[in-house]
Amino acid sequence: MILRMILLMLLKPMSGRKFSKSALFLLMIVFGIISCQKDTNVNVNFQRGIESAQNYAFAQQMMTQVMATYFKALTDSTLSADAFNYIDGAAVYYYPDQEPKRMIFDYPSYGVSDGYGHTRGGKFNASTTQDFTEDNAVISFSFDNFRYDSDSVEVDSMFLFNLGKKNGKDNHYRLTLSQLTYQFKDSSGVFTFDLDQEFAVFKYNSSYYTHPRDSLGIYGTLHGNTVRNIKFTAQNTSDSSLLFSYDCRWLKTGITGIETEMFTYPVTAYFQEPDTCGNQFLVTIDSNPFPRWIEE
């Protein structure tokens, strides 16, 4: 089942996405090694690599969902016309005539469902001295007592750069985030991460306005520090980018390489097929497969 999952991801990539022959050859070697049941790994503790991959998936999932809410607002027809609408549980207020221009995403303090299986509380804000949709615009984000599943989320700095239609079709953005601090409500610890990633907004049809089947392509780097103070770096490239559809709760497709501090084995996260919607991804460490859930 695990081998089939990897093989299908390779054989059924998104349109326009290519994998190198060398990458395919390496994965074929992985298949052969797994089938041989390598004895040399029996006594190796892979927990550091698994924990890094799990924390990466959690951080990527949360930030992708938050950014999906912003991108929905950016092309929401009601918000554009009335300067107010409810999007993913947030009361969104739009102030295009103020200086700077602002969007405020306001959630009840007690929390409300975001439509993706989580609750959000407090606020996050977006502001710019330009127009939100203008090429080269820089949007600054801030969190105001923001809660995700009642956990506290704070960020030192967060900026979105509008890169325009890099391929003449889809809008592209660069998101940089420095020191996001995620404090678990059960006092189990603090998880921190930075990221530098590119987001592409894929429109389902020719309309400018938001469609439920619009999607995001994401690639770049995420640096994390887990609750147990394990540092890691996760990276995927444009030809192995993640996909997030507005009509699905979880990330899908894409391949992410992860380097973990004080851990010499290669870690790779494989996400599910683009035409499926399931809470699962596959972690491989030194040719050993570990199926995991994006959200536990």
Side-chain angles (χ1 to χ4, degrees), residues 230-254:
I230 298 174
K231 293 180 173 61
F232 67 89
T233 298
Q235 185 169 20
N236 57 338
T237 59
S238 58
D239 61 353
S240 63
S241 60
L242 299 167
L243 177 69
F244 183 82
S245 298
Y246 293 172
D247 61 352
C248 179
R249 183 178 297 182
W250 297 290
L251 291 162
K252 50 188 175 179
T253 199

Side-chain angles (χ1 to χ4, degrees), residues 17-295:
R17 181 174 290 120
K18 297 180 180 178
F19 294 93
S20 68
K21 291 183 179 179
S22 60
L24 181 57
F25 177 71
L26 286 174
L27 284 173
M28 291 174 67
I29 294 175
V30 168
F31 296 162
I33 295 174
I34 292 174
S35 65
C36 291
Q37 298 288 322
K38 271 179 48 175
D39 294 332
T40 54
N41 290 327
V42 171
N43 296 319
V44 175
N45 186 349
F46 293 128
Q47 185 55 43
R48 292 178 71 88
I50 294 172
E51 181 175 335
S52 296
Q54 195 73 63
N55 277 253
Y56 158 69
F58 172 82
Q60 188 70 70
Q61 175 83 348
M62 179 185 70
M63 288 309 303
T64 301
Q65 290 178 346
V66 170
M67 291 311 299
T69 299
Y70 169 76
F71 289 126
K72 287 179 183 179
L74 202 60
T75 55
D76 184 82
S77 57
T78 301
L79 186 65
S80 297
D82 301 337
F84 174 81
N85 198 13
Y86 285 97
I87 301 174
D88 291 347
V92 185
Y93 302 87
Y94 179 38
Y95 300 97
D97 300 323
Q98 293 188 357
E99 189 63 36
K101 299 173 176 61
R102 294 185 297 150
M103 284 187 192
I104 298 175
F105 299 78
D106 191 4
Y107 301 89
S109 59
Y110 53 82
V112 65
S113 172
D114 62 4
Y116 290 121
H118 299 276
T119 60
R120 303 183 196 177
K123 299 178 182 178
F124 74 89
N125 312 294
S127 63
T128 181
T129 58
Q130 301 156 280
D131 290 330
F132 279 98
T133 58
E134 181 181 346
D135 287 0
N136 301 315
V138 180
I139 295 88
S140 174
F141 287 83
S142 63
F143 291 167
D144 182 5
N145 197 32
F146 185 67
R147 298 288 187 273
Y148 186 79
D149 289 339
S150 298
D151 298 329
S152 174
V153 180
E154 298 179 356
V155 65
D156 283 1
S157 66
M158 179 174 168
F159 295 96
L160 186 73
F161 302 87
N162 189 344
L163 305 179
K165 297 182 184 296
K166 291 177 61 176
N167 59 356
K169 178 182 178 183
D170 307 306
N171 286 305
H172 287 249
Y173 305 85
R174 179 188 175 194
L175 178 66
T176 63
L177 183 154
S178 177
Q179 191 69 17
L180 184 144
T181 302
Y182 192 98
Q183 174 72 60
F184 291 94
K185 64 181 178 180
D186 60 4
S187 301
S188 59
V190 177
F191 170 44
T192 62
F193 63 89
D194 307 331
L195 65 78
D196 186 347
Q197 296 182 333
E198 188 162 314
F199 285 71
V201 180
F202 303 125
K203 301 298 295 179
Y204 177 71
N205 56 21
S206 58
S207 173
Y208 167 82
Y209 295 108
T210 302
H211 190 281
R213 297 187 66 180
D214 289 348
S215 59
L216 304 176
I218 311 109
Y219 69 91
T221 304
L222 188 151
H223 301 277
N225 196 17
T226 73
V227 171
R228 295 199 302 130
N229 204 30
I230 298 174
K231 293 180 173 61
F232 67 89
T233 298
Q235 185 169 20
N236 57 338
T237 59
S238 58
D239 61 353
S240 63
S241 60
L242 299 167
L243 177 69
F244 183 82
S245 298
Y246 293 172
D247 61 352
C248 179
R249 183 178 297 182
W250 297 290
L251 291 162
K252 50 188 175 179
T253 199
I255 301 174
T256 304
I258 302 170
E259 295 182 0
T260 303
E261 183 184 42
M262 297 177 63
F263 189 76
T264 59
Y265 295 94
V267 180
T268 308
Y270 299 88
F271 290 83
Q272 61 187 329
E273 298 172 66
D275 57 352
T276 62
C277 181
N279 181 25
Q280 190 175 28
F281 71 113
L282 180 69
V283 180
T284 65
I285 303 177
D286 194 36
S287 307
N288 293 271
F290 300 93
R292 284 294 181 268
W293 291 267
I294 298 171
E295 296 179 346

